[in-house]
Amino acid sequence: MLNALTIDLEDYWDVYSHDWLGVEIEPTEAVLQNTQWFLETLKRFDVKATFFVLGGVAKVFPNLIKQVAEEGHEIASHGIGHTQIFKLDKKGFRSDIVESKKLLEDLVSRPVCGYRAPAFSIMPETRWALEVLAEVGFEYDSSVFPISGARYGWPGFHKGICKVELSSGRNIIEVPMSTISVLGRSLPVGGGGYVRYFPYWFTRWALRCIQRQRPGIVYLHPYEIDARSKRIDIEHLSPEDQRKAIRHHKMQLRNRKTMGEKIIKLLSEFEFAPIREVITGCGNLRSCAINGAG
Ligand SMILES: [Zn+2]
């Protein structure tokens, strides 16, 4: 069974600053060094992946995106500015994805047909985004996390790759994040933070269980192997927001030192491909309707 390897190509300091500090900065050069590590490691294992590229990174480091494409990886969109969809209206979302699709297609001279939302923000209340993605010409989305999470999740969504029939008559393929049922609960596995927090044996066991039934979807971020930290400025935030920002930052830095090793083990023990290839390998996809798309 082929699993999908996906990398959300963004810079930690840029995204953290935008999402948690409300301050806009440019992506830092750390994203260059960290992405090079991924490119070299993928080359070593002869694995191709899907890179969901944040438009902000593509604007500042266009040559990096060209290099990723030239090395044979699939380029897909992670939007422009990492704003969660529930903070945008339809018009704002549409202009974000249209701009990012064009930016990437101009850079790599290939059609960009996949999208991943910032922080998995396609949820029941933002299901309308799937319709907008299909309208704009995206063929697949990989943003739904079929869990009940604090910040994201669409509990009850189909666990495997499926074709979502939209109310307009269009459809879009959804590639949901991997989950596994443990004691009746859907647990997220195979993704950045979860690979870092759980011991490797758990990720391996979970992925082996999943790939008996369907492709596993692994997602990683370049910065997850980067254990360097620096001072963050939170004085402008309310005490409550300061606590949240610090908690998130500490979680994000956890276990980064051992992440490179875990990624190498994953690459040596599992078969991976870009999402487009994994979708093709699935053959006929199950259709699923999402009710009440508004
Ligand atoms: Zn992201």
Side-chain angles (χ1 to χ4, degrees), residues 224-267:
E224 286 180 286
I225 51 141
D226 188 346
R228 296 172 295 176
S229 189
K230 58 184 180 187
R231 194 186 164 277
I232 51 166
D233 183 8
I234 52 168
E235 281 76 41
H236 62 289
L237 298 175
S238 69
E240 175 59 12
D241 286 347
Q242 288 190 9
R243 269 193 295 278
K244 283 185 191 163
I246 291 171
R247 197 189 318 134
H248 181 78
H249 183 58
K250 279 189 179 158
M251 275 171 58
Q252 284 293 327
L253 290 187
R254 212 155 85 191
N255 295 351
R256 284 194 183 183
K257 279 192 182 138
T258 52
M259 188 62 170
E261 244 170 77
K262 287 177 174 173
I263 294 169
I264 286 168
K265 282 187 192 158
L266 278 174
L267 291 171

Side-chain angles (χ1 to χ4, degrees), residues 66-114:
K66 285 183 189 167
Q67 185 194 349
V68 174
E70 276 159 19
E71 296 195 12
H73 303 289
E74 178 187 4
I75 299 291
S77 161
H78 194 35
I80 293 282
H82 218 266
T83 302
Q84 287 138 301
I85 298 175
F86 52 78
K87 295 179 182 163
L88 297 168
D89 58 13
K90 272 188 195 174
K91 206 175 147 213
F93 176 63
R94 194 189 171 90
S95 81
D96 182 276
I97 58 173
V98 167
E99 185 189 348
S100 90
K101 194 171 192 294
K102 182 167 185 329
L103 173 74
L104 297 174
E105 287 178 345
D106 288 350
L107 262 180
V108 303
S109 309
R110 279 190 220 160
V112 165
C113 64

Side-chain angles (χ1 to χ4, degrees), residues 8 10 15 19 54 78 82 116-119 221 223:
D8 295 356
E10 61 192 34
V15 168
D19 290 2
L54 191 66
H78 194 35
H82 218 266
R116 174 167 291 152
H221 301 88
Y223 54 75

Side-chain angles (χ1 to χ4, degrees), residues 40-276:
E40 281 159 27
T41 307
L42 293 177
K43 202 178 276 172
R44 198 172 124 204
F45 288 92
D46 195 22
V47 170
K48 305 288 184 239
T50 296
F51 282 72
F52 289 99
V53 177
L54 191 66
V57 174
K59 285 181 188 175
V60 178
F61 301 115
N63 289 339
L64 177 68
I65 313 310
K66 285 183 189 167
Q67 185 194 349
V68 174
E70 276 159 19
E71 296 195 12
H73 303 289
E74 178 187 4
I75 299 291
S77 161
H78 194 35
I80 293 282
H82 218 266
T83 302
Q84 287 138 301
I85 298 175
F86 52 78
K87 295 179 182 163
L88 297 168
D89 58 13
K90 272 188 195 174
K91 206 175 147 213
F93 176 63
R94 194 189 171 90
S95 81
D96 182 276
I97 58 173
V98 167
E99 185 189 348
S100 90
K101 194 171 192 294
K102 182 167 185 329
L103 173 74
L104 297 174
E105 287 178 345
D106 288 350
L107 262 180
V108 303
S109 309
R110 279 190 220 160
V112 165
C113 64
Y115 174 77
R116 174 167 291 152
F120 308 110
S121 53
I122 296 193
M123 305 182 282
E125 56 270 40
T126 51
R127 64 182 75 194
W128 51 264
L130 292 172
E131 190 73 73
V132 183
L133 285 163
E135 264 171 43
V136 165
F138 283 97
E139 289 166 25
Y140 76 83
D141 171 67
S142 182
S143 310
V144 171
F145 225 131
I147 56 165
S148 173
R151 290 173 52 228
Y152 50 74
W154 187 331
F157 196 94
H158 188 52
K159 282 172 178 283
I161 300 175
C162 58
K163 195 200 273 182
V164 178
E165 306 290 349
L166 300 163
S167 50
S168 63
R170 292 192 183 87
N171 59 62
I172 188 163
I173 295 167
E174 178 58 42
V175 184
M177 299 310 118
S178 288
T179 57
I180 188 156
S181 295
V182 176
L183 303 173
R185 278 193 63 196
S186 259
L187 283 187
V189 286
Y194 307 110
V195 174
R196 269 186 297 120
Y197 304 152
F198 296 140
Y200 180 73
W201 64 260
F202 177 80
T203 302
R204 174 170 53 200
W205 169 77
L207 270 178
R208 282 186 179 158
C209 292
I210 291 167
Q211 69 173 12
R212 272 184 225 127
Q213 297 168 35
R214 65 182 82 93
I217 313 298
V218 169
Y219 70 87
L220 303 164
H221 301 88
Y223 54 75
E224 286 180 286
I225 51 141
D226 188 346
R228 296 172 295 176
S229 189
K230 58 184 180 187
R231 194 186 164 277
I232 51 166
D233 183 8
I234 52 168
E235 281 76 41
H236 62 289
L237 298 175
S238 69
E240 175 59 12
D241 286 347
Q242 288 190 9
R243 269 193 295 278
K244 283 185 191 163
I246 291 171
R247 197 189 318 134
H248 181 78
H249 183 58
K250 279 189 179 158
M251 275 171 58
Q252 284 293 327
L253 290 187
R254 212 155 85 191
N255 295 351
R256 284 194 183 183
K257 279 192 182 138
T258 52
M259 188 62 170
E261 244 170 77
K262 287 177 174 173
I263 294 169
I264 286 168
K265 282 187 192 158
L266 278 174
L267 291 171
S268 49
E269 294 181 10
F270 293 89
E271 296 282 323
F272 288 106
I275 287 189
R276 278 186 87 151

